[in-house]
Amino acid sequence: MAESSKTLQVNIVAADHPVWHGTAQSVTIPASEGEMGILPNHEPVLTVIKNGTVTVVDPQGARHSFEVTDGFISFDTNRLTIAVERGRDVVRTSSADDAQ
């Protein structure tokens, strides 16, 4: 039970397909008024997001990035839903690959 309060459930959906779902320790979103971070036990929020990158940090510390277009987020009781017009996983190389 204590572990669940340290994470949140995330569901990212585009108009025509699911983009990603899983557990996270934090999420950063491109809110309409600027970048916004969501941590476990954040107060409930419903807000508009703009084009940009959603970054999810999973419980192991790995970062997952998703390019999204306009939409909204809803957060309550450690459940975050990100609904966007379009979204896709961003494939990035690691810093070790960049050095070669």
Side-chain angles (χ1 to χ4, degrees):
M1 186 82 161
E3 185 62 32
S4 65
S5 66
K6 295 180 183 178
T7 61
L8 54 128
Q9 293 299 312
V10 179
N11 191 19
I12 304 172
V13 293
D16 62 347
H17 70 282
V19 177
W20 188 85
H21 67 89
T23 304
Q25 59 179 298
S26 69
V27 179
T28 304
I29 60 163
S32 60
E33 298 297 318
E35 194 170 273
M36 177 181 192
I38 304 287
L39 297 171
N41 304 314
H42 192 284
E43 67 183 45
V45 65
L46 177 64
T47 193
V48 175
I49 61 173
K50 61 184 180 178
N51 295 354
T53 302
V54 171
T55 303
V56 177
V57 179
D58 70 24
Q60 292 74 39
R63 292 183 181 276
H64 307 270
S65 296
F66 306 91
E67 290 297 324
V68 298
T69 60
D70 297 335
F72 70 92
I73 67 115
S74 171
F75 181 79
D76 193 14
T77 324
N78 285 335
R79 294 187 184 277
L80 175 64
T81 300
I82 301 171
V84 295
E85 186 65 32
R86 288 187 304 275
R88 68 179 181 89
D89 193 354
V90 177
V91 178
R92 295 186 182 186
T93 59
S94 69
S95 57
D97 291 341
D98 293 341
Q100 293 178 357

